[in-house]
Amino acid sequence: DEKEKFEPTVFRDTIVQGLNEAGNDLEAIAKFLDAAGSRLDYRRYADTLFDILVAGSMLAPGGTRIDDNDKTKMTSHCVFFADEDHDAIRNYAQVSKG
């Protein structure tokens, strides 16, 4: 019985790359997340996925981002970087429910 490695940084890099490649199109982001869900273990990496969709990168205990300001490890396609209005936040919520 071989155990799978837990590699949240590899998961983060894959998700961030896909989000960044999707650009500012929330529909493209939703399609990427839907397609990636069939090959990535969202359940196993739920905390990491939540961190990325809300804060743009993985978070350390205490809430600081773990990206060393490396743009390849973070995305601006997240709630923290969304416009501060009700419709924008609702659109991001719809993507993450998808």
Side-chain angles (χ1 to χ4, degrees), residues 11 15 19 33 42 45-59 77-80 96:
F11 177 84
I15 294 294
L19 293 176
L33 290 171
Y42 283 171
Y45 297 106
D47 291 339
T48 303
L49 181 61
F50 182 79
D51 289 352
I52 294 166
L53 294 177
V54 172
S57 189
M58 285 175 49
L59 298 177
H77 307 300
C78 63
V79 173
F80 281 10
S96 53

Side-chain angles (χ1 to χ4, degrees), residues 49-74:
L49 181 61
F50 182 79
D51 289 352
I52 294 166
L53 294 177
V54 172
S57 189
M58 285 175 49
L59 298 177
T64 57
R65 288 191 346 204
I66 307 172
D67 55 39
D68 301 321
N69 288 321
D70 181 344
K71 299 292 184 195
T72 65
K73 297 178 182 179
M74 54 195 264

